[in-house]
Amino acid sequence: MIRPEDQILVIFGASGDLAKRKLLPALYALEQSRLLPEGFAVLGTGRTSYDDDSYRRYVSEMLKQHDDSSQEKINSFINRINYHTMDPSDEGEYEGLKNKLIEITSKYQLPENFIFYLATPPSLYDKIPCYLKNCGLTREDKNKWRRVIIEKPFGLDLDSAAALNQSLHSFLKEHQIYRIDHYLGKETVQNILVTRFSNGIFEPLWNRNYIDHVEITSAETIGIGDRGGYYEHAGALRDMLQNHLFQLVAFVGMEPPTVISSEAIRNEILKVLQSFRPIPYEEVNKFVVRGQYMRSSIKGESLQSYREEGAVDDESKTETYVAMKLFIDNWRWGGVPFYIRTGKRLPMKVTEIVIHFKPSPHTLFCFGNNGYKSNNQLVIRIQPDEGIQLRFGMKVQGAGYNVQDTSMDFYYRDLTDNSMPEAYQRLLLDAMQGDPTLYARGDVVEQAWRFVDPILRRWKEDSSFPLFGYSSGSWGPFKANDLIEGEKDQWHYPCENLTEESKSITL
């Protein structure tokens, strides 16, 4: 792989949790893989008072906890790192930032190619680009480029997302804005496109004629932890479904792009979201189920309810689980339901896509003990154990034609002894190379919010809209099963319930 051209990465919030857990370890891993530019420097900024040397010691100690590398390798990396103490909300301090960048470009003999990573609260997303522009740090010409990476949330509804986009576009051009969605940095997500478009055995079947329904699950075993303050304003719909899972739906549902380029792929993603059948305000209850985890016991361990978590209202209506049935109204997918769900405190941490193919039109063989027709499934596992599984019927040994399900499995770990790269490694490298394919475009973000807005308004305005409690360690409220069409169809369960109880009541 060709290394990116020389540049400087500026991290706003460099002493924060995201930089510590994800960004700096990802940069270090890229250097160990010799993927960073030959000429490269990092400038961390934040309110915490460090100088270059003290921040390098901080990063060194942090990397030792993430990696077994020698101090010599760590030193090689941290020699690229610098720090500037500043308050990013104070416009008067940006001239100091500009002077620090001039100093670094001179010290390392680098061009004025800058990436600004906003690892900050969303309240600064419109301020920092404004202040950068006012001091000339967003201006591009043929000899220099400037890019800004923004973490989600990209607004809390359609109006706020549109306002944020309008604000960003007054300071930056769209090609300079990189809205990061770490789900798209996962190797298996990208492999959805390769699986579909490079294999003649899949794409001819990838339509309403052969696929019965599609199921996408993103489950977590943990609760909200110390994120109560954030989660009360977000909830599962905003935090996971509107962005991450809609992107997965788009990768499954998109048409083949004319070329593998960022604009061609993102154009097809937008078309999928534009084809979502709107959910009318008065019919939200027919297509969406929300839930909230309750106090329960798993293997003798007592787990508190969501309402007992820190910074959570005692009568909170915030959903920690949401399941949805949606349709893509176009020629390829007309009439095929997509079932998507996400939740906290479920039995296992897993993200997977299950393609359920239609059964054979006539049952010739006995399946199991009840003659039920087995449907072929393609399971795309995004995490953990990244890979693909194809399930089909095979004859049981012995007399007769009894059939049982079996599978062919592929795991990425079988391809190489190297560990799978973290999502942030891929996404940071893409930004350095100027490739926005796996970053969300502004019109895509707004289209996603346009679809979920009636749901959010119904929940806000209708106090009687049901919120179902579910036991921690279960697969969510029983009510979510009502979304699945077909007498014998049900959600695909990667594992059994962990909880001995399986409550599901209206809160």
Side-chain angles (χ1 to χ4, degrees):
M1 179 179 291
I2 300 175
R3 288 189 173 192
E5 59 187 311
D6 296 351
Q7 58 193 270
I8 298 173
L9 173 64
V10 181
I11 302 176
F12 287 93
S15 59
D17 186 59
L18 178 63
K20 178 180 179 180
R21 291 188 303 106
K22 298 294 185 181
L23 303 184
L24 290 164
L27 290 170
Y28 177 66
L30 288 173
E31 190 197 54
Q32 298 308 299
S33 300
R34 300 184 61 80
L35 293 174
L36 289 181
E38 291 283 357
F40 180 72
V42 177
L43 174 58
T45 77
R47 295 186 178 92
T48 305
S49 181
Y50 287 112
D51 58 20
D52 290 348
D53 290 337
S54 60
Y55 187 66
R56 286 169 184 164
R57 288 194 295 271
Y58 163 79
V59 174
S60 177
E61 291 302 314
M62 179 268 296
L63 289 177
K64 290 177 184 176
Q65 300 172 17
H66 284 268
D67 199 278
D68 296 330
S69 294
S70 66
Q71 187 64 51
E72 181 180 359
K73 290 183 178 180
I74 291 176
N75 287 341
S76 174
F77 173 69
I78 64 175
N79 286 337
R80 298 174 179 259
I81 292 178
N82 308 267
Y83 191 85
H84 178 67
T85 302
M86 65 175 291
D87 179 355
S89 64
D90 183 352
E91 185 174 4
E93 298 198 17
Y94 280 73
E95 281 300 323
L97 172 65
K98 185 175 183 179
N99 292 334
K100 183 70 173 181
L101 283 169
I102 293 172
E103 174 190 323
I104 293 172
T105 56
S106 175
K107 175 182 176 181
Y108 295 95
Q109 294 296 296
L110 297 175
E112 294 184 21
N113 296 328
F114 304 147
I115 295 179
F116 300 98
Y117 198 116
L118 275 55
T120 65
S123 58
L124 293 173
Y125 287 176
D126 55 353
K127 292 184 174 64
I128 292 176
C130 174
Y131 301 155
L132 289 172
K133 180 183 180 180
N134 290 345
C135 69
L137 286 174
T138 61
R139 190 179 305 119
E140 297 183 308
D141 59 37
K142 63 180 181 179
N143 297 315
K144 62 188 179 187
W145 49 256
R146 309 292 164 82
R147 299 166 189 153
V148 176
I149 302 178
I150 299 174
E151 284 276 344
K152 74 176 185 72
F154 314 124
L156 291 173
D157 52 25
L158 177 58
D159 288 343
S160 59
L164 176 59
N165 277 338
Q166 183 178 9
S167 175
L168 291 173
H169 289 150
S170 63
F171 312 126
L172 302 161
K173 297 176 181 178
E174 178 62 32
H175 77 266
Q176 295 178 285
I177 305 169
Y178 287 65
R179 301 170 188 84
I180 194 166
D181 184 338
H182 70 272
Y183 257 56
L184 298 189
K186 297 180 184 295
E187 195 72 25
T188 318
V189 173
Q190 300 153 42
N191 199 46
I192 295 170
L193 301 185
V194 177
T195 299
R196 287 188 56 191
F197 302 138
S198 71
N199 294 294
I201 62 173
F202 291 122
E203 186 57 23
L205 308 181
W206 212 266
N207 56 61
R208 59 186 171 82
N209 295 322
Y210 298 98
I211 292 177
D212 184 77
H213 63 280
V214 178
E215 187 181 335
I216 301 178
T217 295
S218 180
E220 294 183 283
T221 57
I222 60 173
I224 61 157
D226 58 1
R227 301 173 68 219
Y230 161 76
Y231 210 84
E232 273 289 85
H233 293 94
L237 181 61
R238 288 185 173 100
D239 188 50
M240 289 291 297
L241 192 142
Q242 176 272 338
N243 39 68
H244 301 325
L245 296 196
F246 279 7
Q247 291 285 344
L248 296 184
V249 171
F251 270 52
V252 172
M254 66 188 286
E255 293 299 315
T258 53
V259 294
I260 297 299
S261 71
S262 61
E263 284 310 293
I265 290 174
R266 297 200 293 178
N267 286 343
E268 296 302 333
I269 289 173
L270 176 62
K271 291 177 186 177
V272 175
L273 269 64
Q274 289 174 331
S275 300
F276 283 4
R277 182 187 301 174
I279 297 178
Y281 177 91
E282 63 277 5
E283 295 183 7
V284 170
N285 60 306
K286 297 180 181 179
F287 295 92
V288 184
V289 171
R290 63 174 179 168
Q292 186 184 98
Y293 63 80
M294 301 185 300
R295 171 177 283 276
S296 58
S297 178
I298 298 177
K299 298 179 180 179
E301 179 184 0
S302 179
L303 299 175
Q304 61 188 8
S305 69
Y306 173 75
R307 293 178 179 179
E308 294 172 313
E309 304 279 17
V312 172
D313 189 282
D314 291 343
E315 297 182 359
S316 174
K317 291 286 189 177
T318 299
E319 78 287 355
T320 61
Y321 172 98
V322 61
M324 176 185 293
K325 175 170 65 176
L326 64 84
F327 293 89
I328 300 174
D329 284 340
N330 61 21
W331 194 267
R332 180 184 292 266
W333 295 110
V336 177
F338 282 67
Y339 301 104
I340 55 179
R341 60 177 172 172
T342 183
K344 302 282 189 184
R345 288 271 172 84
L346 300 184
M348 71 178 293
K349 180 178 176 66
V350 61
T351 301
E352 67 178 20
I353 300 165
V354 184
I355 310 296
H356 296 262
F357 292 95
K358 290 182 176 180
S360 54
H362 178 56
T363 303
L364 293 173
F365 305 108
C366 176
F367 177 75
N369 296 318
N370 56 12
Y372 174 61
K373 291 184 291 186
S374 173
N375 293 4
N376 301 135
Q377 298 174 353
L378 181 68
V379 182
I380 303 171
R381 176 67 65 85
I382 294 168
Q383 65 174 4
D385 297 327
E386 295 90 343
I388 295 177
Q389 181 182 77
L390 180 62
R391 296 180 177 172
F392 52 92
M394 289 289 288
K395 178 183 176 298
V396 178
Q397 287 183 330
Y401 286 96
N402 289 330
V403 179
Q404 69 176 23
D405 271 342
T406 187
S407 64
M408 290 192 300
D409 302 339
F410 156 74
Y411 296 99
Y412 273 94
R413 63 173 181 262
D414 296 334
L415 282 181
T416 176
D417 292 333
N418 297 328
S419 60
M420 290 279 288
E422 290 289 335
Y424 277 93
Q425 295 177 37
R426 170 64 190 271
L427 293 171
L428 283 169
L429 185 61
D430 281 357
M432 292 175 190
Q433 294 173 324
D435 181 358
T437 304
L438 300 177
Y439 287 81
R441 204 168 63 188
D443 52 0
V444 173
V445 170
E446 289 189 29
Q447 186 62 39
W449 282 119
R450 188 170 288 111
F451 178 77
V452 302
D453 250 22
I455 303 169
L456 293 170
R457 285 193 294 107
R458 177 70 184 275
W459 287 353
K460 181 179 179 180
E461 297 168 2
D462 183 359
S463 59
S464 66
F465 194 95
L467 172 70
F468 297 97
Y470 64 93
S471 299
S472 296
S474 73
W475 279 106
F478 291 147
K479 187 66 177 177
N481 293 325
D482 293 346
L483 295 176
I484 305 289
E485 298 178 3
E487 181 182 351
K488 292 188 177 181
D489 287 330
Q490 61 179 356
W491 291 96
H492 173 257
Y493 296 113
C495 74
E496 297 298 323
N497 289 335
L498 296 177
T499 183
E500 297 174 1
E501 319 167 75
S502 194
K503 304 174 188 172
S504 185
I505 63 174
T506 304
L507 296 176

